[in-house]
Amino acid sequence: MAKLELFDRKIETVRVALGDLREETGQSTAALARIAAAESRMEDGELDAQAARLAETIRRQEAVVATIAELVLRLDEATGDTAVAFDGMKRFTRLEHFVAFFSIRKAGRMRHSRTMEHSLAARLEDLLSKSGAILRLIEEERAFAAEQQQRAEGDLVHLIERRKGTARLLDLAARQPGESGLFAEDALLERATSIFRALVESLNDGIAAMQTLLNKLAIDGQQRRLLCRAVEGWGFGGFAPGVAGEIHATSQGAQTAREIRRRKTLADDAFARRFVRLLEKHDASG
């Protein structure tokens, strides 16, 4: 499948990039915790550096999430291509139609031989493997982002309370000379609050993006496993024991095909709303 060339290498690149981003995000949340607890007082220059570092982290995070979304999209398209190939294999070719006029059994053997050459089962197993690798990456990232978001949101509340305390002191000392230090601290806390509010918003947005991708992968995975069941049912190939068990377990508890199509439409719509620019770029490239 040409669309999946270098796919595994891209997954590994994403894995490394996510590891780097986690380290950088952890540094930002640690800085927020120190400021919120009044353990560290940042100067303007330090805040500038923190703001620039956070802006770069957010930019890189958006790029990595877009790359993951592209991988999910390519898997979905490859599944669609496999379904089309499967539909074609269920029908006799012209030659097989001709042979069937004399012997339907021989025509069936010819079709079976043709389907074995295309190895639909191996193709679907590969898609399930790739989907599983992406799923694990997304779940790990969502768990990390949720943990960091909870910490950062709590520290941001403390930082806001710290600033409120400084504001009250300013009100009391408004008419007294020599209180420039309070004004300077209030200005720094205002900037710090703005910077770290952006951190919390970024973490919230990342969690939402990961959930959108997980929802799509979940329903796409059901569709892939049902396609595996159909391929197996037509005798077009068998699956490894682990994969076969997963396919049968999923199929036994699966919703109707109509319900799966309904849920896929919802997941695809949410994906399209979340990744508008990715789809525009994808459609433009054909």
Side-chain angles (χ1 to χ4, degrees):
M1 289 178 286
K3 290 182 180 179
L4 298 184
E5 290 178 358
L6 306 180
F7 195 94
D8 294 334
R9 187 179 301 176
K10 278 198 172 185
I11 291 178
E12 186 57 33
T13 299
V14 166
R15 191 191 313 277
V16 173
L18 286 175
D20 293 341
L21 286 170
R22 288 171 191 166
E23 183 176 351
E24 294 168 10
T25 301
Q27 291 172 355
S28 293
T29 53
L32 172 57
R34 289 194 300 271
I35 297 173
E39 295 175 359
S40 175
R41 182 183 183 280
M42 283 191 175
E43 302 296 336
D44 277 333
E46 292 176 289
L47 281 177
D48 289 340
Q50 187 64 42
R53 187 180 300 114
L54 180 58
E56 177 62 16
T57 299
I58 292 173
R59 184 194 66 79
R60 289 178 56 204
Q61 174 184 302
E62 290 174 349
V64 173
V65 170
T67 299
I68 297 174
E70 181 187 1
L71 294 177
V72 172
L73 180 62
R74 288 169 62 190
L75 275 181
D76 192 14
E77 291 181 331
T79 302
D81 291 345
T82 304
V84 171
F86 172 55
D87 286 339
M89 289 178 187
K90 289 189 292 186
R91 296 188 293 270
F92 282 154
T93 63
R94 288 185 178 180
L95 176 59
E96 289 162 356
H97 269 297
F98 176 76
V99 172
F101 182 77
F102 301 98
S103 172
I104 189 68
R105 183 175 297 178
K106 184 175 180 179
R109 289 197 299 267
M110 291 174 64
R111 180 178 61 186
H112 181 75
S113 177
R114 173 167 55 89
T115 59
M116 292 300 100
E117 291 177 1
H118 286 81
S119 188
L120 284 180
R123 189 186 304 185
L124 285 167
E125 282 192 354
D126 186 50
L127 289 175
L128 288 171
S129 174
K130 288 174 167 51
S131 179
I134 298 175
L135 182 67
R136 288 187 292 274
L137 275 181
I138 296 174
E139 287 178 335
E140 291 170 4
E141 182 60 20
R142 184 184 62 171
F144 171 80
E147 178 187 358
Q148 294 296 307
Q149 185 271 347
Q150 188 174 14
R151 288 180 53 194
E153 197 168 62
D155 289 333
L156 180 59
V157 170
H158 291 153
L159 182 59
I160 292 172
E161 290 301 317
R162 182 182 167 190
R163 188 184 170 214
K164 287 180 180 178
T166 302
R168 284 191 292 269
L169 290 175
L170 279 172
D171 288 339
L172 293 173
R175 297 181 181 275
Q176 299 180 24
E179 294 298 331
S180 59
L182 283 174
F183 284 104
E185 182 177 359
D186 183 62
L188 285 172
L189 287 174
E190 181 181 10
R191 287 198 61 207
T193 299
S194 176
I195 291 169
F196 290 113
R197 183 175 282 117
L199 169 62
V200 172
E201 290 173 354
S202 170
L203 288 168
N204 284 333
D205 188 66
I207 292 169
M210 292 298 113
Q211 190 60 54
T212 298
L213 292 172
L214 284 174
N215 290 343
K216 179 165 174 56
L217 272 177
I219 191 63
D220 287 356
Q222 271 201 326
Q223 194 174 54
R224 276 187 275 273
R225 285 186 284 272
L226 288 178
L227 180 57
C228 289
R229 185 70 181 268
V231 167
E232 187 179 52
W234 273 77
F236 289 173
F239 296 89
V243 176
E246 180 183 350
I247 292 168
H248 287 278
T250 300
S251 298
Q252 289 171 3
Q255 301 96 337
T256 63
R258 178 181 297 178
E259 174 63 13
I260 290 176
R261 285 196 298 270
R262 185 190 70 80
R263 290 181 55 216
K264 178 162 175 58
T265 297
L266 293 175
D268 286 348
D269 287 347
F271 182 90
R273 290 192 300 272
R274 166 65 63 171
F275 300 103
V276 174
R277 283 182 293 178
L278 170 66
L279 290 176
E280 289 175 348
K281 179 181 177 182
H282 179 77
D283 292 342
S285 65

